[in-house]
Short mmCIF file of all heavy atoms in Angstrom, two decimals:
data_model
loop_
_atom_site.label_atom_id
_atom_site.label_comp_id
_atom_site.label_asym_id
_atom_site.label_seq_id
_atom_site.Cartn_x
_atom_site.Cartn_y
_atom_site.Cartn_z
N MET A 1 0.84 -1.22 0.00
CA MET A 1 0.02 0.01 -0.02
C MET A 1 0.89 1.25 -0.02
O MET A 1 1.98 1.20 0.43
CB MET A 1 -0.87 -0.02 1.25
CG MET A 1 -1.85 -1.12 1.23
SD MET A 1 -2.95 -0.97 2.67
CE MET A 1 -3.39 -2.69 2.97
N GLY A 2 0.29 2.36 -0.43
CA GLY A 2 1.07 3.61 -0.46
C GLY A 2 1.83 3.75 -1.74
O GLY A 2 1.81 2.88 -2.60
N TYR A 3 2.54 4.82 -1.87
CA TYR A 3 3.22 5.15 -3.11
C TYR A 3 4.70 5.39 -2.86
O TYR A 3 5.12 6.03 -1.90
CB TYR A 3 2.66 6.40 -3.75
CG TYR A 3 1.29 6.13 -4.28
CD1 TYR A 3 0.19 6.25 -3.46
CD2 TYR A 3 1.08 5.79 -5.59
CE1 TYR A 3 -1.12 5.98 -3.90
CE2 TYR A 3 -0.18 5.49 -6.07
CZ TYR A 3 -1.26 5.60 -5.21
OH TYR A 3 -2.50 5.34 -5.70
N LYS A 4 5.53 4.87 -3.73
CA LYS A 4 6.96 5.09 -3.64
C LYS A 4 7.33 6.52 -4.05
O LYS A 4 6.73 7.06 -4.96
CB LYS A 4 7.70 4.11 -4.52
CG LYS A 4 7.80 2.73 -3.91
CD LYS A 4 8.60 1.80 -4.77
CE LYS A 4 8.52 0.39 -4.22
NZ LYS A 4 8.33 -0.58 -5.24
N ARG A 5 8.31 7.05 -3.40
CA ARG A 5 8.75 8.41 -3.79
C ARG A 5 10.09 8.32 -4.48
O ARG A 5 10.99 7.58 -4.03
CB ARG A 5 8.88 9.30 -2.56
CG ARG A 5 7.50 9.61 -2.00
CD ARG A 5 7.60 10.65 -0.88
NE ARG A 5 8.21 11.85 -1.39
CZ ARG A 5 8.27 12.95 -0.65
NH1 ARG A 5 7.78 13.02 0.53
NH2 ARG A 5 8.85 14.05 -1.16
N LYS A 25 -0.48 14.68 -0.37
CA LYS A 25 0.31 13.43 -0.56
C LYS A 25 0.84 13.49 -1.97
O LYS A 25 0.09 13.73 -2.91
CB LYS A 25 -0.57 12.20 -0.43
CG LYS A 25 -0.86 11.81 0.96
CD LYS A 25 -1.60 10.44 0.96
CE LYS A 25 -2.14 10.18 2.34
NZ LYS A 25 -3.10 8.99 2.36
N ILE A 36 -1.29 14.07 -5.26
CA ILE A 36 -2.40 13.18 -5.69
C ILE A 36 -3.66 13.52 -4.95
O ILE A 36 -4.77 13.39 -5.47
CB ILE A 36 -2.03 11.67 -5.61
CG1 ILE A 36 -3.11 10.82 -6.24
CG2 ILE A 36 -1.75 11.25 -4.22
CD1 ILE A 36 -2.76 9.49 -6.69
N GLN A 37 -3.50 13.94 -3.70
CA GLN A 37 -4.67 14.36 -2.93
C GLN A 37 -4.19 15.25 -1.76
O GLN A 37 -2.99 15.26 -1.46
CB GLN A 37 -5.44 13.16 -2.37
CG GLN A 37 -4.64 12.35 -1.35
CD GLN A 37 -5.52 11.36 -0.60
OE1 GLN A 37 -5.82 10.29 -1.10
NE2 GLN A 37 -5.92 11.74 0.61
N ASP A 40 -8.51 16.34 2.53
CA ASP A 40 -9.92 15.96 2.36
C ASP A 40 -10.10 14.62 1.69
O ASP A 40 -11.06 13.95 1.87
CB ASP A 40 -10.68 17.00 1.52
CG ASP A 40 -11.08 18.20 2.40
OD1 ASP A 40 -10.96 18.08 3.64
OD2 ASP A 40 -11.59 19.20 1.82
N GLY A 41 -9.17 14.24 0.79
CA GLY A 41 -9.27 13.02 0.06
C GLY A 41 -10.00 13.16 -1.23
O GLY A 41 -10.68 14.19 -1.44
N ILE A 42 -9.86 12.16 -2.09
CA ILE A 42 -10.27 12.26 -3.48
C ILE A 42 -11.79 12.51 -3.60
O ILE A 42 -12.19 13.34 -4.39
CB ILE A 42 -9.81 10.99 -4.26
CG1 ILE A 42 -8.32 10.98 -4.34
CG2 ILE A 42 -10.43 10.95 -5.61
CD1 ILE A 42 -7.68 9.70 -4.90
N VAL A 43 -12.62 11.76 -2.84
CA VAL A 43 -14.07 11.89 -2.99
C VAL A 43 -14.55 13.26 -2.64
O VAL A 43 -15.29 13.90 -3.40
CB VAL A 43 -14.77 10.81 -2.21
CG1 VAL A 43 -16.27 11.04 -2.20
CG2 VAL A 43 -14.51 9.40 -2.78
N LYS A 44 -14.09 13.80 -1.48
CA LYS A 44 -14.51 15.14 -1.09
C LYS A 44 -13.99 16.21 -2.07
O LYS A 44 -14.68 17.20 -2.37
CB LYS A 44 -14.02 15.49 0.31
CG LYS A 44 -14.92 14.91 1.41
CD LYS A 44 -14.53 15.48 2.74
CE LYS A 44 -15.33 14.76 3.85
NZ LYS A 44 -14.66 14.88 5.13
N THR A 232 -10.80 11.18 -11.52
CA THR A 232 -12.21 10.76 -11.42
C THR A 232 -13.14 11.75 -12.12
O THR A 232 -14.15 11.31 -12.73
CB THR A 232 -12.64 10.56 -9.90
OG1 THR A 232 -12.39 11.78 -9.23
CG2 THR A 232 -11.84 9.45 -9.25
N LYS A 297 -20.88 -2.89 -7.69
CA LYS A 297 -19.86 -1.98 -7.16
C LYS A 297 -18.46 -2.28 -7.66
O LYS A 297 -17.52 -1.55 -7.40
CB LYS A 297 -19.83 -2.11 -5.61
CG LYS A 297 -21.03 -1.44 -4.95
CD LYS A 297 -20.79 -1.36 -3.41
CE LYS A 297 -21.62 -0.35 -2.72
NZ LYS A 297 -23.08 -0.49 -2.97
N VAL A 298 -18.29 -3.41 -8.39
CA VAL A 298 -16.91 -3.81 -8.73
C VAL A 298 -16.27 -2.78 -9.68
O VAL A 298 -16.92 -2.27 -10.59
CB VAL A 298 -16.90 -5.22 -9.32
CG1 VAL A 298 -17.39 -5.26 -10.77
CG2 VAL A 298 -15.51 -5.80 -9.26
N ILE A 299 -14.96 -2.51 -9.45
CA ILE A 299 -14.27 -1.51 -10.24
C ILE A 299 -13.46 -2.27 -11.29
O ILE A 299 -12.63 -3.10 -10.97
CB ILE A 299 -13.37 -0.66 -9.38
CG1 ILE A 299 -14.26 0.16 -8.39
CG2 ILE A 299 -12.50 0.30 -10.19
CD1 ILE A 299 -13.54 0.88 -7.33
N ARG A 301 -10.62 -1.90 -13.53
CA ARG A 301 -9.52 -0.96 -13.76
C ARG A 301 -8.82 -1.22 -15.09
O ARG A 301 -9.14 -2.14 -15.83
CB ARG A 301 -8.50 -1.08 -12.60
CG ARG A 301 -9.11 -0.65 -11.27
CD ARG A 301 -8.08 -0.48 -10.16
NE ARG A 301 -8.77 -0.23 -8.91
CZ ARG A 301 -9.06 1.01 -8.42
NH1 ARG A 301 -8.66 2.05 -9.11
NH2 ARG A 301 -9.68 1.11 -7.28
N THR A 321 -12.44 3.51 -12.63
CA THR A 321 -12.35 3.94 -11.23
C THR A 321 -13.70 4.04 -10.64
O THR A 321 -14.69 3.63 -11.27
CB THR A 321 -11.62 5.32 -11.15
OG1 THR A 321 -11.37 5.64 -9.73
CG2 THR A 321 -12.36 6.43 -11.73
N PHE A 322 -13.83 4.57 -9.43
CA PHE A 322 -15.12 4.85 -8.80
C PHE A 322 -15.42 6.29 -9.12
O PHE A 322 -14.60 7.21 -8.96
CB PHE A 322 -14.97 4.63 -7.29
CG PHE A 322 -16.17 5.05 -6.52
CD1 PHE A 322 -17.26 4.23 -6.39
CD2 PHE A 322 -16.22 6.30 -5.88
CE1 PHE A 322 -18.39 4.60 -5.65
CE2 PHE A 322 -17.33 6.73 -5.15
CZ PHE A 322 -18.42 5.85 -5.03
N PRO A 324 -17.32 9.45 -8.00
CA PRO A 324 -18.07 9.91 -6.85
C PRO A 324 -19.41 10.58 -7.17
O PRO A 324 -20.37 10.44 -6.39
CB PRO A 324 -17.07 10.96 -6.25
CG PRO A 324 -15.75 10.44 -6.66
CD PRO A 324 -15.95 9.94 -8.06
N VAL A 350 -12.57 -9.47 -13.55
CA VAL A 350 -11.84 -8.81 -12.44
C VAL A 350 -11.42 -9.88 -11.44
O VAL A 350 -12.26 -10.64 -10.95
CB VAL A 350 -12.72 -7.74 -11.73
CG1 VAL A 350 -11.97 -7.12 -10.55
CG2 VAL A 350 -13.18 -6.70 -12.72
N ARG A 351 -10.13 -10.01 -11.20
CA ARG A 351 -9.57 -11.01 -10.26
C ARG A 351 -10.11 -12.40 -10.57
O ARG A 351 -10.49 -13.13 -9.70
CB ARG A 351 -9.86 -10.62 -8.83
CG ARG A 351 -9.06 -9.38 -8.37
CD ARG A 351 -9.35 -9.00 -6.95
NE ARG A 351 -10.65 -8.45 -6.79
CZ ARG A 351 -10.87 -7.14 -6.91
NH1 ARG A 351 -9.92 -6.30 -7.17
NH2 ARG A 351 -12.13 -6.71 -6.75
N LYS A 353 -12.83 -13.38 -11.88
CA LYS A 353 -14.32 -13.58 -11.93
C LYS A 353 -14.92 -12.67 -12.96
O LYS A 353 -14.42 -11.60 -13.20
CB LYS A 353 -14.93 -13.25 -10.56
CG LYS A 353 -15.08 -14.46 -9.66
CD LYS A 353 -15.94 -14.13 -8.47
CE LYS A 353 -15.11 -13.70 -7.26
NZ LYS A 353 -15.93 -13.28 -6.10
N TYR A 355 -17.85 -10.23 -14.21
CA TYR A 355 -18.93 -9.33 -13.71
C TYR A 355 -19.65 -8.69 -14.89
O TYR A 355 -19.09 -8.39 -15.90
CB TYR A 355 -18.36 -8.22 -12.82
CG TYR A 355 -17.70 -8.73 -11.53
CD1 TYR A 355 -16.38 -9.16 -11.52
CD2 TYR A 355 -18.46 -8.71 -10.37
CE1 TYR A 355 -15.78 -9.61 -10.36
CE2 TYR A 355 -17.86 -9.19 -9.16
CZ TYR A 355 -16.54 -9.62 -9.19
OH TYR A 355 -15.98 -10.05 -8.02
N LYS B 9 1.20 -6.23 7.50
CA LYS B 9 0.40 -5.87 6.28
C LYS B 9 -0.85 -5.06 6.66
O LYS B 9 -1.76 -4.92 5.87
CB LYS B 9 0.08 -7.10 5.48
CG LYS B 9 1.33 -7.66 4.84
CD LYS B 9 1.06 -8.93 4.03
CE LYS B 9 2.34 -9.31 3.29
NZ LYS B 9 2.35 -10.72 2.93
N HIS B 10 -0.84 -4.55 7.91
CA HIS B 10 -1.83 -3.60 8.35
C HIS B 10 -3.25 -4.25 8.56
O HIS B 10 -4.27 -3.64 8.28
CB HIS B 10 -1.97 -2.39 7.43
CG HIS B 10 -0.61 -1.75 7.24
ND1 HIS B 10 0.01 -1.01 8.22
CD2 HIS B 10 0.28 -1.76 6.22
CE1 HIS B 10 1.19 -0.55 7.78
NE2 HIS B 10 1.38 -1.03 6.57
N ALA B 28 -4.06 1.85 7.79
CA ALA B 28 -4.27 1.33 6.45
C ALA B 28 -5.32 2.19 5.70
O ALA B 28 -5.12 2.57 4.55
CB ALA B 28 -4.71 -0.09 6.43
N GLU B 30 -6.11 5.20 6.26
CA GLU B 30 -5.57 6.57 6.02
C GLU B 30 -4.64 6.52 4.74
O GLU B 30 -4.62 7.45 3.98
CB GLU B 30 -4.85 7.08 7.22
CG GLU B 30 -5.80 7.58 8.29
CD GLU B 30 -5.18 7.73 9.65
OE1 GLU B 30 -3.96 7.52 9.79
OE2 GLU B 30 -5.93 8.09 10.55
N MET B 31 -3.93 5.43 4.62
CA MET B 31 -3.05 5.31 3.42
C MET B 31 -3.88 5.08 2.17
O MET B 31 -3.60 5.63 1.12
CB MET B 31 -2.10 4.11 3.57
CG MET B 31 -0.91 4.41 4.49
SD MET B 31 0.35 3.21 4.24
CE MET B 31 -0.50 1.70 4.74
N LEU B 32 -4.94 4.31 2.27
CA LEU B 32 -5.77 3.99 1.09
C LEU B 32 -6.61 5.17 0.64
O LEU B 32 -6.81 5.36 -0.55
CB LEU B 32 -6.71 2.84 1.47
CG LEU B 32 -6.12 1.47 1.54
CD1 LEU B 32 -7.07 0.50 2.24
CD2 LEU B 32 -5.73 0.90 0.18
N GLY B 33 -7.10 6.00 1.54
CA GLY B 33 -8.00 7.05 1.21
C GLY B 33 -9.43 6.50 1.16
O GLY B 33 -9.75 5.52 1.80
N ASP B 34 -10.28 7.13 0.35
CA ASP B 34 -11.70 6.78 0.28
C ASP B 34 -11.88 5.37 -0.21
O ASP B 34 -11.54 5.03 -1.37
CB ASP B 34 -12.42 7.71 -0.62
CG ASP B 34 -12.25 9.18 -0.21
OD1 ASP B 34 -12.70 9.49 0.91
OD2 ASP B 34 -11.68 9.97 -0.97
N VAL B 36 -13.96 2.41 -1.75
CA VAL B 36 -15.14 2.40 -2.61
C VAL B 36 -15.57 0.99 -3.03
O VAL B 36 -16.55 0.81 -3.70
CB VAL B 36 -14.86 3.24 -3.91
CG1 VAL B 36 -14.73 4.72 -3.50
CG2 VAL B 36 -13.61 2.81 -4.62
N PHE B 37 -14.76 -0.04 -2.67
CA PHE B 37 -15.19 -1.42 -2.96
C PHE B 37 -14.53 -2.32 -1.92
O PHE B 37 -13.39 -2.16 -1.61
CB PHE B 37 -14.74 -1.82 -4.36
CG PHE B 37 -15.07 -3.24 -4.70
CD1 PHE B 37 -16.34 -3.56 -5.14
CD2 PHE B 37 -14.06 -4.23 -4.61
CE1 PHE B 37 -16.62 -4.86 -5.47
CE2 PHE B 37 -14.41 -5.53 -4.96
CZ PHE B 37 -15.68 -5.88 -5.37
N GLU B 39 -14.56 -6.66 -0.96
CA GLU B 39 -15.00 -8.02 -1.20
C GLU B 39 -14.56 -8.87 0.01
O GLU B 39 -13.38 -8.88 0.33
CB GLU B 39 -14.37 -8.55 -2.49
CG GLU B 39 -14.97 -9.85 -2.96
CD GLU B 39 -14.32 -10.23 -4.31
OE1 GLU B 39 -13.23 -10.84 -4.30
OE2 GLU B 39 -14.91 -9.93 -5.38
N VAL B 55 -10.62 -8.25 -0.46
CA VAL B 55 -10.14 -7.21 -1.34
C VAL B 55 -10.65 -5.88 -0.85
O VAL B 55 -11.82 -5.79 -0.47
CB VAL B 55 -10.54 -7.43 -2.78
CG1 VAL B 55 -10.12 -6.27 -3.70
CG2 VAL B 55 -10.01 -8.74 -3.36
N GLU B 57 -10.66 -1.72 -2.17
CA GLU B 57 -10.25 -0.79 -3.20
C GLU B 57 -10.59 0.63 -2.79
O GLU B 57 -11.68 0.90 -2.26
CB GLU B 57 -10.96 -1.08 -4.51
CG GLU B 57 -10.59 -2.35 -5.11
CD GLU B 57 -10.92 -2.48 -6.60
OE1 GLU B 57 -10.66 -1.53 -7.34
OE2 GLU B 57 -11.43 -3.53 -7.02
N SER B 58 -9.64 1.52 -3.02
CA SER B 58 -9.94 2.94 -2.82
C SER B 58 -10.03 3.52 -4.20
O SER B 58 -9.95 2.84 -5.22
CB SER B 58 -8.75 3.57 -2.09
OG SER B 58 -7.63 3.65 -2.94
N THR B 59 -10.28 4.87 -4.27
CA THR B 59 -10.36 5.54 -5.60
C THR B 59 -9.02 5.35 -6.32
O THR B 59 -8.97 5.40 -7.51
CB THR B 59 -10.63 7.02 -5.34
OG1 THR B 59 -9.93 7.46 -4.21
CG2 THR B 59 -12.11 7.27 -5.19
N LYS B 60 -7.92 5.13 -5.55
CA LYS B 60 -6.61 5.08 -6.19
C LYS B 60 -6.27 3.70 -6.66
O LYS B 60 -5.67 3.55 -7.77
CB LYS B 60 -5.52 5.52 -5.16
CG LYS B 60 -5.54 7.02 -4.93
CD LYS B 60 -4.49 7.45 -3.96
CE LYS B 60 -4.94 7.28 -2.53
NZ LYS B 60 -4.10 7.97 -1.54
N ALA B 61 -6.48 2.64 -5.88
CA ALA B 61 -5.96 1.31 -6.23
C ALA B 61 -6.65 0.21 -5.51
O ALA B 61 -7.38 0.45 -4.51
CB ALA B 61 -4.45 1.28 -5.88
N ALA B 62 -6.45 -1.03 -5.99
CA ALA B 62 -6.98 -2.22 -5.34
C ALA B 62 -5.88 -2.84 -4.47
O ALA B 62 -4.71 -2.86 -4.87
CB ALA B 62 -7.45 -3.22 -6.37
N SER B 63 -6.21 -3.31 -3.33
CA SER B 63 -5.28 -4.00 -2.41
C SER B 63 -5.85 -5.29 -1.92
O SER B 63 -7.09 -5.36 -1.67
CB SER B 63 -4.89 -3.14 -1.23
OG SER B 63 -4.46 -1.85 -1.63
N ASP B 64 -5.00 -6.28 -1.74
CA ASP B 64 -5.47 -7.50 -1.11
C ASP B 64 -5.40 -7.38 0.40
O ASP B 64 -4.52 -6.67 0.93
CB ASP B 64 -4.58 -8.70 -1.53
CG ASP B 64 -4.77 -9.10 -2.97
OD1 ASP B 64 -5.97 -9.02 -3.43
OD2 ASP B 64 -3.82 -9.45 -3.65
N ALA B 81 -19.46 -4.63 2.52
CA ALA B 81 -19.52 -4.85 1.08
C ALA B 81 -20.59 -3.95 0.49
O ALA B 81 -20.47 -3.43 -0.61
CB ALA B 81 -19.75 -6.31 0.74
N ASP B 82 -21.73 -3.78 1.23
CA ASP B 82 -22.82 -2.95 0.76
C ASP B 82 -22.46 -1.47 0.92
O ASP B 82 -22.99 -0.63 0.12
CB ASP B 82 -24.10 -3.25 1.58
CG ASP B 82 -24.63 -4.64 1.25
OD1 ASP B 82 -24.26 -5.16 0.19
OD2 ASP B 82 -25.39 -5.13 2.07
N ASP B 83 -21.67 -1.11 1.90
CA ASP B 83 -21.37 0.26 2.16
C ASP B 83 -19.83 0.40 2.42
O ASP B 83 -19.41 0.62 3.55
CB ASP B 83 -22.20 0.81 3.37
CG ASP B 83 -21.88 2.27 3.65
OD1 ASP B 83 -21.30 2.97 2.77
OD2 ASP B 83 -22.30 2.76 4.71
N PRO B 84 -19.04 0.32 1.31
CA PRO B 84 -17.57 0.33 1.49
C PRO B 84 -17.05 1.51 2.22
O PRO B 84 -16.10 1.42 2.97
CB PRO B 84 -17.06 0.24 0.05
CG PRO B 84 -18.19 -0.23 -0.79
CD PRO B 84 -19.44 0.23 -0.10
N ASN B 126 5.30 4.31 4.56
CA ASN B 126 4.59 3.91 3.39
C ASN B 126 4.17 2.44 3.47
O ASN B 126 3.90 1.80 2.53
CB ASN B 126 5.45 4.13 2.14
CG ASN B 126 5.39 5.58 1.76
OD1 ASN B 126 4.36 6.26 1.93
ND2 ASN B 126 6.51 6.08 1.21
#
Side-chain angles (χ1 to χ4, degrees):
Chain A
M1 295 186 208
Y3 291 84
K4 281 184 188 138
R5 291 188 57 172
K25 279 188 191 169
I36 186 157
Q37 67 166 81
D40 278 351
I42 293 172
V43 171
K44 276 190 189 159
T232 55
K297 287 190 160 56
V298 76
I299 296 169
R301 295 191 187 269
T321 187
F322 173 82
V350 179
R351 290 179 288 271
K353 264 192 267 177
Y355 293 85
Chain B
K9 290 180 173 157
H10 307 286
E30 283 163 2
M31 283 196 299
L32 287 165
D34 304 298
V36 293
F37 178 80
E39 191 176 82
V55 175
E57 292 198 46
S58 72
T59 38
K60 286 181 277 194
S63 306
D64 287 325
D82 291 339
D83 181 14
N126 282 327

